[in-house]
């Protein structure tokens, strides 16, 4: 089966006064329909840039340098602006990070949803649009009367659900959820994640979930992709990632998670994430890597596939072979 | 609930009017000029009656207008009469009533202020919004800049400048007056055209003087709004640029501007009255200027009171209008 989402050699740079920052460095990723991928990494590792690049919403001074993002056989990067506008929400949808402020305060929720449909299917009848919006609201466990309400009349969790309802309005093939629960309490977090999980299963959509919360990831996604300094370092199934991570960065990340047996002891990762303006030569992680070898300082490791469809970019596993 | 709010606002309005009329009552009285004496002294100079007659006439008129009573009693009389909407008569142009003076000059002021206030608000805010919008074409963004330059120039200076160059030197526009001398006011189209022709320069000086302020504040507001998550999400939803501009960007950026509009009315009336005098338009501002020069205090009271009441009423109206624009503000 061909993956619904294929990202090939995607490269994004930001042109700053201090020089060119490579925020996304030749990223490759495949995702099948119905699959859920968690994208994790430190702040500034390029997670959100990747999401924006997929939506082609990188704003100046950023630029997509090269690569392709193919959704359902269509390369988004090669579309013209108007075609890309139509592809947003209908092929690939984005559920924003700051759901608290993502709804227009002076428009009714319904009007904002109708706007979205109208932008793609202008000749749909008004009643049909309303009905489609209300069904979408119902599918995220909101009452139909939310249609008439304003954002300030909703709770944080409800606002986030509205954003999800907007995201699934046109049944896209890929949904990107950028930290959809970061501003919510844990109970609401779980409810919102279950909602995403359910609509995703119903529609068979591929979901990319961006976030820091490894616990949440462990519960909801099928695969985890770890980003470091604009590169994907490891992509594995949740089980593999948590039980035997291969890339030293992924290992350190998993080890840093608190657990009940060593309460109060924080196992951090020594050093700081590199500035994207000065990414170390070779493997970007080598200055912080406990198992760094000479080759790591000079040569960028290629992504190789290992047992269990795992993708890892590390010299540890190629040198020995 | 709603009724109580309206009553509270009306009470507030009455307080404002009372405070304004009290202050304006005492200020002209601080000078010892007597408008009645001044008027009749002028008549006496041109002949007609003797100096001894003058004193008799002044005394009898002062008695007629109640100016011989103690100041405090005059004050209570005055407050009593304005409570009955009686603004009295002009001391200088007796028997003309203050109400009729306001009534005659009001159309000129309203047409000038209304047109220039609305035009500068619309032009200024659109230019400001476009100037801040990252996707608007470069030349359109550049258009806004010269207007900002005019922010620092008072409308009066602009009025003098325009009057001198366009009307006096180039003779493109009339030198002032509400309409050409020698034609009688009526409701014909040609007369209307003549009036509008005379209003062009005053209106331009008013608009140029205030449009820059709108451009500047709207551009600042626009820059804030375009970074808002909902504008971003609107683009993620695949909306076209025009819908995002109108529904998500402009509507939100305009909210504080509407409040600003109510606040700007006061200063607009002030600069309007000076511009009116400059162009010799028979509006409220010119009449107020004349009354101040003659110390015709009943006319001063009447016009200031009228302006205070109009601005206060408009502000209350804007306050009631605001919840319709911004659903987050509910008044109950």
């Amino acid at each position: 089966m061909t993956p619904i989402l294929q990202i090939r050699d995607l490269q994004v740079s930001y042109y700053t006064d201090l020089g060119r920052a490579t925020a996304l460095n030749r990223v490759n990723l495949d995702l099948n329909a119905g699959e859920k991928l968690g994208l994790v990494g430190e702040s500034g590792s390029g997670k959100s840039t990747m999401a924006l690049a997929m939506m082609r919403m990188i704003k100046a001074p950023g630029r997509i340098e090269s690569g392709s993002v193919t959704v359902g056989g269509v390369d988004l990067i090669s579309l013209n602006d108007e075609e890309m506008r139509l592809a947003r929400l209908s092929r690939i949808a984005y559920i924003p990070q700051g759901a608290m402020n993502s709804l227009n305060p002076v428009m009714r929720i319904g009007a904002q949803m109708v706007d979205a449909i109208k932008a793609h299917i202008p000749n749909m009848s008004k009643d049909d649009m309303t009905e489609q919006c209300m069904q979408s609201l119902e599918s995220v466990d909101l009452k139909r009367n939310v249609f008439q309400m304003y954002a300030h009349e909703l709770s944080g969790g409800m606002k986030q659900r509205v954003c999800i309802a907007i995201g699934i309005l046109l049944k896209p093939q890929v949904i990107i959820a950028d930290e959809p629960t970061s501003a919510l309490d844990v109970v609401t977090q779980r409810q919102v994640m279950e909602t995403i999980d359910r609509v995703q299963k119903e529609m068979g959509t591929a979901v990319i979930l961006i976030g820091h919360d490894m616990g949440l990831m462990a519960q909801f996604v099928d695969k985890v992709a770890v980003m470091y300094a604009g590169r994907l370092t490891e992509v594995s199934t949740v089980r593999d990632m948590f039980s035997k991570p291969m890339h030293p960065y992924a290992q350190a990340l998993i080890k840093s998670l608190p657990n009940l047996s060593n309460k109060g002891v924080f196992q951090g990762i020594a050093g700081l994430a590199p500035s994207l303006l000065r990414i170390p030569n070779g493997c970007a992680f080598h200055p912080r890597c406990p198992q760094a070898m000479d080759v790591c300082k000079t040569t960028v490791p290629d992504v190789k596939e290992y047992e269990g469809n795992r993708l890892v970019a590390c010299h540890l596993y190629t040198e020995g072979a | 609930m709603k009724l109580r709010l309206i009553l509270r606002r009306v009470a507030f309005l009455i307080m404002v009017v009372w405070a304004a009329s009290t202050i304006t009552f005492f200020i002209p009285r601080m000078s010892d000029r007597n408008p009645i004496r001044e008027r009749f002294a002028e008549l006496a100079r041109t002949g007609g009656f003797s100096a001894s007659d003058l004193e008799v006439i002044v005394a009898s008129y002062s008695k007629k207008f109640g100016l011989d009573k103690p100041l405090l009693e005059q004050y209570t009389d005055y407050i009593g009469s304005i409570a009955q909407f009686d603004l009295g008569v002009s001391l200088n142009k007796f028997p003309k009533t203050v109400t009729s003076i306001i009534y005659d000059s009001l159309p000129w002021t309203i047409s000038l202020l209304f047109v220039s206030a609305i035009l500068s608000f619309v032009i200024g805010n659109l230019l400001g919004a476009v100037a801040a919008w990252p996707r608007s074409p470069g030349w359109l963004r550049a258009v806004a800049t010269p207007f900002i330059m005019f922010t620092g120039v008072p409308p009066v200076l602009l009025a003098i400048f325009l009057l001198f160059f366009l009307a006096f030197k180039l003779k493109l526009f009339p030198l002032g007056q509400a309409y050409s001398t020698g034609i009688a006011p009526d409701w014909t189209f040609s007369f209307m055209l003549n009036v509008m022709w005379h209003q062009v320069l005053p209106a331009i000086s008013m608009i140029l003087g205030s449009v820059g302020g709108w451009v500047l504040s709207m551009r600042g507001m626009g820059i804030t709004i375009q970074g808002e998550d909902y504008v971003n999400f609107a683009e993620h939803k695949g909306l076209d640029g025009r819908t995002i501009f109108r529904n998500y960007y402009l509507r939100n950026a305009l909210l504080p501007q509407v409040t600003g509009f109510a606040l700007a009315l006061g200063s607009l009336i002030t600069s309007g009255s000076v511009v009116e005098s400059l162009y010799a338009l028979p509006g409220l501002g010119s009449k107020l200027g004349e009354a101040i020069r003659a110390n015709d205090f009943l006319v001063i009271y009447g016009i200031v009171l009228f302006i205070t009441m109009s601005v206060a009423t408009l502000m209350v109206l804007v306050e009631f209008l605001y919840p319709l624009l911004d659903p987050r503000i509910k008044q109950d």
Side-chain angles (χ1 to χ4, degrees):
Chain A
M1 149 167 128
T2 38
I4 196 83
L5 171 72
Q6 281 180 305
I7 299 174
R8 287 289 173 271
D9 277 336
L10 191 58
Q11 185 150 353
V12 176
S13 312
Y14 290 99
Y15 290 84
T16 72
D17 291 341
L18 297 170
R20 201 177 87 171
T22 309
L24 218 56
N25 202 338
R26 305 180 79 80
V27 168
N28 291 291
L29 190 70
D30 285 352
L31 203 59
N32 292 321
E35 231 176 357
K36 282 171 289 182
L37 174 93
L39 191 58
V40 298
E42 286 163 272
S43 297
S45 60
K47 306 185 299 287
S48 287
T49 298
M50 186 159 151
L52 293 179
M54 281 188 265
M55 295 299 292
R56 260 183 61 187
M57 286 277 290
I58 299 279
K59 296 280 167 68
R63 217 169 81 88
I64 297 175
E65 304 280 13
S66 61
S68 64
V69 177
T70 309
V71 176
V74 176
D75 177 19
L76 301 181
I77 306 297
S78 61
L79 295 180
N80 67 30
D81 285 350
E82 178 63 10
E83 287 166 343
M84 185 60 218
R85 177 180 76 73
L86 291 169
R88 289 188 190 118
L89 201 67
S90 62
R91 282 186 181 280
I92 182 163
Y94 177 85
I95 297 171
Q97 192 167 18
M100 290 302 159
N101 301 316
S102 290
L103 298 170
N104 187 344
V106 299
M107 278 173 83
R108 289 179 197 279
I109 302 298
Q112 298 183 50
M113 299 180 82
V114 167
D115 258 3
I117 300 184
K118 221 187 266 171
H120 294 88
I121 319 167
N123 45 12
M124 192 189 237
S125 83
K126 216 175 161 216
D127 289 345
D128 288 351
M129 283 193 199
T130 309
E131 184 51 33
Q132 191 166 339
C133 294
M134 288 192 169
Q135 275 174 11
S136 191
L137 286 171
E138 274 179 336
S139 67
V140 296
D141 296 323
L142 287 170
K143 296 213 175 70
R144 291 172 84 95
N145 67 0
V146 170
F147 190 81
Q148 316 282 357
M149 291 166 91
Y150 286 104
H152 70 275
E153 296 169 311
L154 304 176
S155 71
M158 289 165 89
K159 279 187 229 179
Q160 188 63 67
R161 278 163 201 275
V162 170
C163 288
I164 298 170
I166 292 174
I168 61 171
L169 208 47
L170 298 176
K171 310 217 176 340
Q173 290 158 305
V174 177
I175 293 177
I176 306 163
D178 192 356
E179 294 188 49
T181 59
S182 55
L184 305 173
D185 66 78
V186 282
V187 178
T188 320
Q189 258 182 21
R190 190 181 173 85
Q191 289 168 349
V192 167
M193 288 314 299
E194 277 169 352
T195 306
I196 294 181
D197 201 45
R198 189 168 44 71
V199 295
Q200 183 265 341
K201 282 206 175 71
E202 282 165 14
M203 300 185 346
T205 312
V207 170
I208 295 180
L209 181 68
I210 298 174
H212 300 279
D213 191 334
M214 296 293 269
L216 210 65
M217 294 286 175
Q219 291 177 64
F220 287 100
V221 299
D222 308 316
K223 284 203 285 190
V224 180
V226 179
M227 281 201 96
Y228 188 80
R231 295 198 184 103
L232 282 178
T233 55
E234 176 166 354
V235 184
S236 298
T237 61
V238 173
R239 183 162 298 280
D240 287 344
M241 183 64 84
F242 280 84
S243 56
K244 43 180 194 315
M246 286 173 73
H247 195 282
Y249 177 63
Q251 288 168 359
L253 210 59
I254 299 298
K255 219 185 279 171
S256 74
L257 296 177
N259 59 49
L260 285 171
S261 56
N262 58 354
K263 233 166 71 176
V265 182
F266 280 113
Q267 190 103 63
I269 304 174
L272 288 172
S275 157
L276 293 176
L277 288 165
R278 287 178 302 276
I279 295 176
N281 287 333
C283 173
F285 187 61
H286 83 258
R288 302 168 76 186
C289 183
Q291 302 167 67
M293 304 173 292
D294 283 342
V295 62
C296 301
K297 293 174 189 158
T298 52
T299 317
V300 180
D302 287 328
V303 177
K304 292 253 161 62
E305 192 171 338
Y306 297 91
E307 203 187 324
N309 285 331
R310 306 181 70 167
L311 298 171
V312 182
C314 185
H315 290 302
L316 276 179
Y317 305 96
T318 48
E319 286 301 294
Chain B
M1 275 313 243
K2 199 84 183 169
L3 186 72
R4 246 186 64 192
L5 182 85
I6 293 173
L7 287 179
R8 232 174 39 210
R9 286 289 168 268
V10 170
F12 172 74
L13 211 113
I14 291 171
M15 287 290 288
V16 168
V17 170
W18 169 76
S21 50
T22 302
I23 295 168
T24 40
F25 179 83
F26 287 105
I27 288 176
R29 299 308 183 90
M30 287 181 196
S31 98
D32 48 8
R33 288 172 63 190
N34 183 337
I36 299 170
R37 184 188 306 279
E38 279 176 25
R39 169 124 193 251
F40 286 105
E42 204 176 304
L43 282 178
R45 264 201 302 283
T46 55
F49 41 83
S50 65
S52 57
D53 286 346
L54 178 67
E55 286 311 313
V56 179
I57 295 172
V58 169
S60 86
Y61 268 102
S62 296
K63 194 171 171 61
K64 183 178 168 65
F65 295 135
L67 302 181
D68 53 340
K69 293 185 203 165
L71 196 59
L72 219 60
E73 201 182 324
Q74 286 185 44
Y75 171 70
T76 46
D77 284 353
Y78 167 67
I79 296 290
S81 61
I82 58 169
Q84 300 164 43
F85 297 105
D86 176 13
L87 298 176
V89 291
S90 164
L91 300 174
N92 198 7
K93 295 195 181 96
F94 182 78
K96 240 185 152 138
T97 60
V98 175
T99 316
S100 74
I101 291 177
I102 293 176
Y103 185 79
D104 289 343
S105 52
L106 198 57
W108 302 108
T109 300
I110 289 191
S111 55
L112 176 63
L113 287 187
F114 193 72
V115 169
S116 49
I118 302 271
L119 275 182
S120 75
F121 184 80
V122 171
I123 297 172
N125 282 306
L126 271 181
L127 276 178
V130 165
W133 188 240
R135 273 185 283 173
S136 43
W139 64 268
L140 209 56
R141 290 208 245 170
V143 166
T145 319
F147 282 99
I148 296 174
M149 235 172 52
F150 285 112
T151 333
V153 189
V156 184
L157 260 178
L158 285 169
I160 294 172
F161 185 84
L162 292 175
L163 196 61
F164 183 77
F165 284 101
L166 296 185
F168 182 69
K169 283 279 185 201
L170 297 174
K171 302 197 187 336
L172 294 173
F173 290 94
L175 271 167
Q177 306 291 348
Y179 44 86
S180 304
T181 38
I183 61 169
D186 50 23
W187 289 102
T188 60
F189 182 70
S190 67
F191 178 71
M192 291 293 167
L193 218 62
N194 190 281
V195 167
M196 278 197 253
W197 186 237
H198 281 74
Q199 295 258 13
V200 170
L201 284 190
I204 289 182
S205 39
M206 295 287 292
I207 292 171
L208 277 187
S210 54
V211 85
W214 294 122
V215 174
L216 210 57
S217 55
M218 186 60 176
R219 200 179 59 170
M221 205 54 221
I223 287 168
T224 312
I225 297 292
Q226 63 176 261
E228 290 287 342
D229 291 338
Y230 49 79
V231 175
N232 243 316
F233 189 39
E235 200 174 338
H236 277 296
K237 287 196 288 189
L239 301 192
D240 57 288
R242 205 183 294 172
T243 310
I244 301 177
F245 184 85
R246 195 184 54 231
N247 289 353
Y248 293 78
Y249 168 72
L250 192 59
R251 262 186 80 173
N252 280 290
L254 265 180
L255 292 177
Q257 300 298 90
V258 173
T259 316
F261 185 70
L263 294 174
L265 282 173
S267 61
L268 208 68
I269 287 175
T270 323
S271 52
S273 46
V274 187
V275 170
E276 268 179 6
S277 322
L278 255 169
Y279 284 93
L281 295 173
L284 272 184
S286 303
K287 296 290 172 208
L288 182 61
E290 278 171 34
I292 291 171
R293 278 190 291 278
N295 202 31
D296 188 348
F297 41 77
L298 283 181
V299 176
I300 302 177
Y301 296 164
I303 293 179
V304 170
L305 190 69
F306 181 80
I307 291 175
T308 315
M309 262 180 80
S310 328
V311 173
T313 312
L314 281 170
M315 285 203 174
V316 171
L317 276 182
V318 167
E319 199 183 335
F320 281 113
L321 187 85
Y322 210 73
L324 299 180
L325 299 173
D326 189 347
R328 282 168 297 184
I329 294 169
K330 254 207 195 120
Q331 287 168 342
D332 48 28

